[in-house]
Amino acid sequence: MVNGGTVNNWICVNFSLNVQDSVARGFCYELAQMCHISGMAFNPEPVLPPISGRPEQVEEVLKTRYHDAMTKLQPQGNELDLLIVILPDNNGSLYGDLKRICETDLGLVSQCCLTKHVFRMSKQYLANVALKINVKVGGRNTVLVDAISRRIPLVSDRPTYFWLWLLRIGLRLQSMLVWFVLKPIDKSLSKICSKNGRIL
C-alpha cells in the first residue's frame, strides 16, 4: 500500500446459514488484523457484533443493522465506514441486491466475502481483500514510479488528448466516441464537428 485508508467504524452481516456467529467474528478479526498489517488505520472492533440474516430478508436486515449502527454513531458525530458481508457460495441475486441497497439506498461502502473463503481464511485471500477495502475507503495501493519522480509530463507541458469510449444499450446497440481535445496538436485535429449534440 502507498497510502492506507481509514476504517474507524464498521459492521458485519452474515447471510450464510453455514457460518456460525463465532466463525464470522473470527474471520472479521483476522481481516481487520490484515488491514492493519497492510498499512490501514483499521479499528479491530466493530460498532456492533456481527449478526446473521436470512438472504430473502436482505433489505430489511441491512437497513435495520445500518440504523442500529448509526443510532450509536451519530451522537458522537461519526459515520459508518464499511460493511463486511458474508455471502453463501451460491447466492443468486443476493449480491446484486446487496450492492444496490448499500450503494443507492444507504450510501455505504461494502465488501462481500464468500463462505468458502471465510472457512479457508488464507493469508493471501485476506491480503487481497484488504487491498480492495483500502481502495474503497480512499487509500492507494500503487503509484507509478515515474509519477513519484515527476517524469510523467503534465497536461500543461505538452498537447494532450483523452479518449473515452462509451457504450450505450437502448433499443439498438450504439457506440459513441467522445473525444476531448485539451490542446490541439494541429489545425486538422482541431476541426471537430458537432452533429446532433455529439462530438464526432
Side-chain angles (χ1 to χ4, degrees):
M1 279 182 200
V2 177
N3 300 109
T6 300
V7 176
N8 290 318
N9 304 302
W10 60 277
I11 56 174
C12 175
V13 177
N14 171 23
F15 287 107
S16 176
L17 301 176
N18 298 331
V19 178
Q20 296 176 336
D21 288 344
S22 60
V23 175
R25 278 194 304 273
F27 175 78
C28 288
Y29 175 80
E30 292 297 328
L31 181 56
Q33 289 298 109
M34 181 59 75
C35 288
H36 178 73
I37 291 167
S38 299
M40 294 179 65
F42 201 105
N43 185 347
E45 294 298 321
V47 174
L48 300 169
I51 62 157
S52 296
R54 299 186 61 78
E56 61 271 13
Q57 298 173 329
V58 61
E59 187 163 6
E60 179 184 339
V61 171
L62 289 177
K63 289 184 176 180
T64 300
R65 199 57 169 175
Y66 176 79
H67 180 267
D68 293 346
M70 291 308 293
T71 299
K72 188 173 179 180
L73 292 172
Q74 278 184 330
Q76 304 159 3
N78 293 327
E79 292 288 326
L80 195 58
D81 300 316
L82 177 69
L83 168 67
I84 298 171
V85 183
I86 299 173
L87 294 177
D89 291 329
N90 298 315
N91 55 68
S93 66
L94 179 59
Y95 176 82
D97 294 340
L98 186 139
K99 287 295 185 179
R100 175 186 54 79
I101 294 163
C102 287
E103 293 174 11
T104 61
D105 296 348
L106 303 176
L108 181 60
V109 173
S110 62
Q111 178 59 54
C112 297
C113 304
L114 294 176
T115 298
K116 62 184 178 184
H117 298 301
V118 170
F119 283 123
R120 288 182 199 147
M121 215 182 308
S122 75
K123 296 290 186 192
Q124 183 62 57
Y125 175 75
L126 293 173
N128 288 340
V129 174
L131 290 173
K132 290 175 75 173
I133 291 172
N134 187 52
V135 169
K136 290 179 181 183
V137 298
R140 287 191 307 167
N141 294 335
T142 59
V143 66
L144 296 173
V145 174
D146 284 347
I148 293 173
S149 61
R150 299 214 176 267
R151 288 191 305 219
I152 294 179
L154 301 175
V155 172
S156 60
D157 293 342
R158 62 173 63 163
T160 306
Y161 289 86
F162 288 90
W163 294 83
L164 173 67
W165 279 100
L166 299 175
L167 185 64
R168 290 181 25 206
I169 299 173
L171 297 175
R172 63 181 185 268
L173 191 63
Q174 299 176 337
S175 80
M176 180 176 69
L177 169 66
V178 179
W179 184 8
F180 294 96
V181 181
L182 300 183
K183 282 179 128 183
I185 289 177
D186 60 36
K187 291 182 181 184
S188 64
L189 290 177
S190 65
K191 293 179 183 176
I192 299 174
C193 302
S194 179
K195 180 180 178 185
N196 298 329
R198 294 183 183 173
I199 299 173
L200 303 175

